Amino acid sequence: MSIFSPTTDEDLAACLRDAAASGQKLRIIGQASKTGFGQAVMADQVVSLGSFAGIRDYEPAELVLTAGAGTAMAVIEQALAEKQQQLAFEPGDWAPIWGGAESTGTIGGVLACNMSGPRRFQAGAARDHFLGFTAVNGRGEIYKGGGKVVKNVTGYDLPKLLAGSFGTLSAMTEVTVKVLPRAEKQRTILLFGEAADAANRSMISAIGSTYDIGGACYLPAAQAQRSQVDFVAKAGAAVTALRVEGSGPSVEHRCAALRKMFGGDSEELHSMRSVAFWREIRDVAPVRAPLGRVLWRVSLPPVQGAAFVATLPAAPAAEWFMDWGGGLVWVSLAPDMAVEHLAALRSAATTLGGHATLMRASDQTRRDLGVIAPAALEPLMRRIKESFDPAGVLNPGRMMAGW
Amino acid sequence: MQMPEPDAAILARRPQLLAGLRRLVDEAGIIADPIALRAYESDGLTAYRQPPMIAVLPKTTAEVAAVLRFCQQEGVKVVPRGAGTSLSGGALPLADGIILGLGRFNRILEIDYDNRCAVVQPGVPNLAISHAVAERGFYYAPDPSSQIACSIGGNIAENSGGVHCLKYGLTTNNVLGLEVVLMNGEILRIGGKHLDAHGYDLMGILTGSEGLLGVVTEVTVRLLRKPETARALLAGFPSAEAGGQCVADVIAAGIIPAGMEMMDKPATRAVEEFVHAGYPLDAEALLIVELDGPDVEVDHLLERVRGIAEANGATSLRVSASEQERLLLWAGRKAAFPAVGRISPDYYCMDGTIPRSKLPLVLQRMSEMSLRYGLGVANVFHAGDGNLHPLIMYDANKPGELQAAEAFGADILCLCVEVGGVLTGEHGVGVEKRDLMPTMFSEIDLKQQIQVKCAFDPAQLLNPGKVFPVLHRCAELGAMHIHRGQLPHPELPRF
């Protein structure tokens, strides 16, 4: 299939207008690094937003960055690093989940998938940092939403709707995000040998303390062993990890206080080791391989993390780890698992007050189960879709089966 | 300000409508007496007043759903109202509409410390949540200045901010779940105690929708652990440029203070005469920087901020040595509005956001406008996030001054947009800034927003006349060509 790469908003708008008039369906991509995320899109044409690239405006002291939606994440991260800033929601390098190359993806894709990393519970997701955009809707109209300043309540908060919409509402050409200073220092406290429920409780009490935790995850022994960080890999036991970030004296003080609070067997990861460890968590490295296994991302009330993992099948064994203090569980299951077992995982998540997203599975399984849980709110969501894209031109079926 | 022409047919049916509503809500929940209705005639934007046709105060979600369903069937407009503290007229009634007051939804339903959240009804005041969880050292972060009175449901509608939102976010960043009733009576439950509900971010679009998309009947808010300590630093600067540069340098140094507030000289003078906080009267720009966290962190960062202030030529510097002194330093800033109210018979509070680097330019242009309109202006400024609150001083008893103040305010907001900012940072559009929306958004931009409205409320009965300058019928938007001033059905109401 040919790929059309418009270079101006007007060309993109004309393309979308033509598609709407002729009943064509379009698949919208940036670098196509997360095509495996969502359901397969049956499209007549692929439209790449890769030409809308480049940082247009970056004022570190204003805490905002405006860039073409097709700007590579690597470019954004480099520019921010030069000013000791970052995207605080910590989007992962996810393309390898679906067998793609490392360090790919665009800022538009990160926002469209509402990505977030281990700092989510403290700093928010992509939605919380998405300030404004220019886009073309399914009627082929160029429009803008939000603004280019960090505080704005003028009109509806359309960036929230576009975050996590998987390109089904509009094709974005320019985005503005909030950026924040990178912490001067970070350390990670490791607690060893806790069972899942004890770890869940430890993480909740740490996050509920005054020590301002910016990462809380739990790796069972088998997952810890896969780490490239020696202290974690050689633990020979399950690892509970708590990240502390901030200015030097503050980090030292909080780490000492936390180790005192937990007592027992603990260790500290400093600077580069801490960074490397959380990069693994962010990128789902503990359960990412092998590609054939089914992968779920399960969002839960934090106290339900351990209760949820207790429902996972023992044979063939589920592989998993908890993040967000128990509020997020990544689960990898054997490739040949029957659909009813997969469905059981989703209903366990729902019963516990959360929801499960099918991150990786065959096209057939994703069709059978739906990538996101069927929502009672689907009729309203469909009306919202139609308010942006009445002809169903943009990424049909990517998010919800049938539309 | 032009509001929709009341529908005579609806007004004529008031007795039948009242009888119908009485079947849905208890006697105490129906207010129809003209004198009692005056209590609802305006919100915090008191320049506009309009008693509603009827006020309805349900106390359960089922009653809210029944009332909305009834109003939809009868074609009656509905204006939702929390505590009525909106500064933009978001809860201004309509003569032919009902006020749907959520004041009886006043209970905290659940506090869940382990999941760090609280489930509350929409009429609970913002500050009551923090009070309820203070014993365990938690709080709810967004702190709009009206937090003692404003309701959490109203905070959702307006996406309220506060002085601490640079570090802790607006309402939208601190909500986990909502129960909402649509105009057709449908009850939706969105999110819960987990993060990032699946599908489109309905919570995100509802928050800040100013009561146009749905009526909030339950809210799950995020709780945070209260920091060990907070201390404040007060610094005076010889110019707005120097103060602004200090703010930029603090952020460039990687420090995000819990709060960073600036006042200009007129505001400082008004405040000092009122509360005697010990503010330096010679400073052109006065900056308050608050840092919170563990003691060791606060001490360390305060020293760095002090150094940055000195490097920018601060002419006075004071660091709070006690909680009492911190509160005193804040007392002045927090009394800025009443202080200006003391020196001027009336004042009009604006709420634009600008890129912070444009502050000196905007202050300069504002003082030119002040001369032109012959009205004084004092500025308080959430300096960290560029949210400016000019207070225009006028006397409503002098003919023409209210109109002049409004024109001055509109000029300021247009200036904010011109320099790359926005019309409102936290007060909302409401009726106040409705007609300025085209300075920031094109017709197509606005049309897309109205299309979203139509997905929630196709009959456009929920809070009409707010936010959008021109009422398009939803069906009409289906056709793709509406040109300004050439609407296809001139007989339809437009406002």
Side-chain angles (χ1 to χ4, degrees):
Chain A
M1 197 182 300
S2 69
I3 297 183
F4 174 58
S5 294
T7 55
T8 65
D9 289 12
E10 289 71 23
D11 284 351
L12 175 63
C15 164
L16 265 60
R17 270 197 304 275
D18 289 350
S22 63
Q24 276 204 326
K25 309 293 178 198
L26 305 178
R27 186 156 79 85
I28 310 296
I29 62 168
Q31 291 180 351
S33 64
K34 292 180 278 292
T35 301
F37 191 5
Q39 269 147 156
V41 174
M42 300 308 224
D44 304 300
Q45 169 90 47
V46 177
V47 176
S48 165
L49 303 176
S51 299
F52 297 95
I55 294 172
R56 312 259 165 88
D57 191 16
Y58 173 34
E59 297 291 340
E62 301 282 350
L63 303 175
V64 293
L65 180 146
T66 299
T71 309
M73 277 303 287
V75 170
I76 305 255
E77 284 173 348
Q78 167 83 30
L80 293 172
E82 281 169 14
K83 302 289 182 188
Q84 286 76 51
Q85 291 194 329
Q86 63 179 353
L87 296 172
F89 58 95
E90 214 177 358
D93 185 7
W94 279 5
I97 290 176
W98 302 279
E102 283 183 12
S103 298
T104 50
T106 62
I107 183 72
V110 160
L111 295 169
C113 296
N114 189 28
M115 287 175 65
S116 63
R119 209 182 283 111
R120 167 69 183 93
F121 65 87
Q122 183 200 42
R127 70 183 288 279
D128 297 288
H129 300 256
F130 187 14
L131 301 174
F133 63 83
T134 303
V136 181
N137 63 22
R139 288 181 292 273
E141 298 164 328
I142 302 164
Y143 74 105
K144 63 180 183 300
K148 293 184 176 179
V149 290
V150 294
K151 195 169 173 194
N152 173 25
V153 297
T154 320
Y156 295 143
D157 195 350
L158 294 185
K160 293 283 184 302
L161 267 188
L162 261 59
S165 68
F166 291 86
T168 60
L169 298 180
S170 291
M172 296 186 281
T173 60
E174 184 181 276
V175 298
T176 298
V177 291
K178 180 178 179 180
V179 298
L180 284 166
R182 180 184 284 235
E184 178 186 309
K185 188 168 190 159
Q186 69 161 280
R187 284 189 185 174
T188 299
I189 311 270
L190 304 178
L191 309 174
F192 299 111
E194 289 187 304
D197 54 347
N200 199 179
R201 281 196 302 275
S202 296
M203 293 190 287
I204 281 166
S205 59
I207 297 171
S209 77
T210 55
Y211 306 126
D212 199 18
I213 302 296
C217 73
Y218 172 74
L219 304 180
Q223 270 56 56
Q225 215 174 351
R226 291 186 185 175
S227 176
Q228 301 292 313
V229 178
D230 49 4
F231 279 118
V232 178
K234 290 180 189 148
V239 171
T240 312
L242 304 168
R243 178 168 59 181
V244 179
E245 300 174 286
S247 62
S250 172
V251 169
E252 282 165 26
H253 162 79
R254 284 143 65 206
C255 282
L258 279 163
R259 289 181 81 167
K260 199 170 152 199
M261 173 174 155
F262 287 108
D265 188 12
S266 69
E267 187 53 77
E268 247 175 64
L269 299 179
H270 288 195
S271 47
M272 289 322 292
R273 279 200 179 89
S274 179
V275 170
F277 175 76
W278 289 102
R279 188 173 297 262
E280 289 179 351
I281 300 301
R282 187 197 77 172
D283 297 345
V284 206
V287 298
R288 196 170 69 192
L291 286 179
R293 289 175 68 92
V294 170
L295 190 66
W296 290 90
R297 186 177 193 249
V298 184
S299 178
L300 296 157
V303 289
Q304 303 293 6
F308 174 76
V309 299
T311 69
L312 294 172
E319 296 180 355
W320 55 268
F321 71 95
M322 280 192 257
D323 198 359
W324 301 355
L328 183 72
V329 183
W330 284 92
V331 185
S332 142
L333 296 170
D336 48 4
M337 189 151 281
V339 165
E340 51 271 29
H341 288 115
L342 296 174
L345 180 149
R346 174 169 276 160
S347 49
T350 309
T351 306
L352 292 170
H355 66 93
T357 304
L358 186 52
M359 297 298 293
R360 184 177 67 201
S362 67
D363 284 1
Q364 184 64 45
T365 305
R366 281 182 286 153
R367 251 197 309 278
D368 290 346
L369 285 173
V371 166
I372 63 175
L377 304 166
E378 190 173 327
L380 175 59
M381 291 185 188
R382 187 164 188 163
R383 294 200 297 276
I384 290 171
K385 161 77 171 172
E386 287 163 359
S387 78
F388 286 86
D389 178 22
V393 171
L394 297 162
N395 281 350
R398 173 102 189 240
M399 211 166 121
M400 298 280 192
W403 54 277
Chain B
M1 178 59 54
Q2 199 191 346
M3 291 305 284
E5 223 21 66
D7 182 337
I10 295 283
L11 292 173
R13 282 169 49 228
R14 186 174 183 271
Q16 294 90 311
L17 296 170
L18 195 51
L21 289 165
R22 285 207 160 104
R23 283 193 288 275
L24 305 175
V25 179
D26 66 5
E27 188 54 38
I30 300 284
I31 295 174
D33 173 62
I35 304 220
L37 281 174
R38 296 206 80 90
Y40 297 91
E41 69 182 5
S42 83
D43 57 16
L45 185 72
T46 50
Y48 302 111
R49 292 171 194 274
Q50 169 62 60
M53 178 170 66
I54 302 164
V56 183
L57 314 173
K59 50 182 195 322
T60 65
T61 301
E63 286 178 2
V64 171
V67 169
L68 289 175
R69 206 177 304 118
F70 174 79
C71 289
Q72 166 121 329
Q73 277 161 10
E74 301 293 329
V76 174
K77 295 167 192 147
V78 177
V79 177
R81 179 182 165 110
T85 57
S86 165
L87 292 171
S88 56
L92 180 70
L94 296 164
D96 58 347
I98 68 160
I99 277 281
L100 185 65
L102 280 302
R104 294 168 94 190
F105 282 79
N106 57 2
R107 288 186 306 133
I108 294 177
L109 301 173
E110 186 191 353
I111 295 172
D112 181 345
Y113 290 110
D114 282 347
N115 285 314
R116 299 181 300 281
C117 63
V119 184
V120 304
Q121 292 190 322
V124 172
N126 169 300
L127 190 59
I129 302 174
S130 289
H131 281 163
V133 298
E135 54 166 6
R136 289 272 301 268
F138 284 80
Y139 76 117
Y140 172 65
D143 58 345
S145 56
S146 56
Q147 69 177 152
I148 190 165
C150 65
S151 71
I152 189 70
N155 289 181
I156 299 290
E158 301 294 321
N159 190 15
S160 307
V163 293
H164 291 103
C165 64
L166 179 67
K167 184 168 177 184
Y168 296 105
L170 299 161
T171 301
T172 191
N173 312 111
N174 288 282
V175 178
L176 294 171
L178 291 180
E179 182 186 74
V180 176
V181 187
L182 299 188
M183 189 62 215
N184 65 9
E186 195 184 339
I187 299 166
L188 311 179
R189 290 196 67 89
I190 303 163
K193 295 180 178 180
H194 61 284
L195 293 165
D196 300 328
H198 54 297
Y200 295 138
D201 189 353
L202 299 176
M203 202 148 52
I205 193 71
L206 279 156
T207 306
S209 64
E210 304 199 23
L212 271 72
L213 300 183
V215 176
V216 174
T217 50
E218 187 189 291
V219 187
T220 304
V221 297
R222 227 173 132 222
L223 299 177
L224 295 183
R225 185 67 194 261
K226 215 169 167 52
E228 269 174 28
T229 311
R231 287 175 70 195
L233 172 146
L234 183 77
F237 293 91
S239 67
E241 283 86 348
Q245 191 57 47
C246 179
V247 172
D249 290 350
V250 167
I251 289 171
I255 301 168
I256 299 293
M260 192 142 56
E261 295 291 309
M262 201 189 277
M263 284 187 275
D264 68 1
K265 200 173 197 171
T268 307
R269 276 179 185 279
V271 155
E272 184 56 25
E273 283 165 22
F274 184 36
V275 294
H276 311 293
Y279 288 174
L281 293 173
D282 58 335
E284 288 294 331
L286 191 68
L287 188 65
I288 301 175
V289 182
E290 177 160 293
L291 292 150
D292 65 7
D295 290 306
V296 43
E297 171 176 328
V298 171
D299 292 348
H300 171 73
L301 294 180
L302 267 178
E303 273 317 299
R304 292 184 58 193
V305 172
R306 179 203 285 273
I308 292 166
E310 280 168 352
N312 279 292
T315 47
S316 59
L317 265 173
R318 183 170 155 197
V319 176
S320 68
S322 64
E323 179 65 5
Q324 201 180 4
E325 190 175 7
R326 180 184 78 89
L327 295 174
L328 181 66
L329 294 187
W330 273 109
R333 166 61 186 89
K334 291 196 169 174
F337 290 20
V340 169
R342 235 174 116 252
I343 58 170
S344 173
D346 298 280
Y347 69 90
Y348 184 37
C349 172
M350 307 309 297
D351 170 49
T353 302
I354 56 172
R356 197 176 349 83
S357 58
K358 307 288 187 194
L359 178 65
L361 170 73
V362 168
L363 289 179
Q364 172 60 33
R365 294 266 299 272
M366 235 189 276
S367 48
E368 289 162 19
M369 291 176 194
S370 172
L371 287 175
R372 193 163 72 241
Y373 283 102
L375 296 174
V377 62
N379 277 287
V380 296
F381 187 45
H382 300 307
D385 46 34
N387 187 197
L388 194 64
H389 291 314
L391 303 168
I392 300 170
M393 294 174 257
Y394 70 99
D395 183 350
N397 287 330
K398 289 189 186 157
E401 279 213 352
L402 169 64
Q403 290 72 20
E406 288 186 337
F408 186 177
D411 281 0
I412 291 173
L413 295 183
C414 292
L415 173 62
C416 291
V417 174
E418 184 193 319
V419 301
V422 300
L423 292 172
T424 171
E426 56 185 1
H427 293 174
V429 176
V431 291
E432 185 199 27
K433 295 172 265 294
R434 186 189 74 183
D435 294 343
L436 294 176
M437 288 288 271
T439 61
M440 184 167 153
F441 293 113
S442 73
E443 177 112 9
I444 291 175
D445 299 341
L446 289 173
K447 209 175 89 179
Q448 180 58 65
Q449 296 192 34
I450 296 168
Q451 295 272 10
V452 171
K453 160 78 170 170
C454 295
F456 285 81
D457 173 25
Q460 302 206 59
L461 290 169
L462 200 52
N463 217 6
K466 315 289 168 65
V467 182
F468 299 111
V470 177
L471 182 68
H472 292 289
R473 277 205 172 164
C474 290
E476 181 189 314
L477 286 168
M480 281 178 42
H481 14 247
I482 296 167
H483 300 294
R484 200 186 297 264
Q486 298 168 11
L487 292 161
H489 302 286
E491 75 283 6
L492 294 177
R494 315 280 175 196
F495 50 89

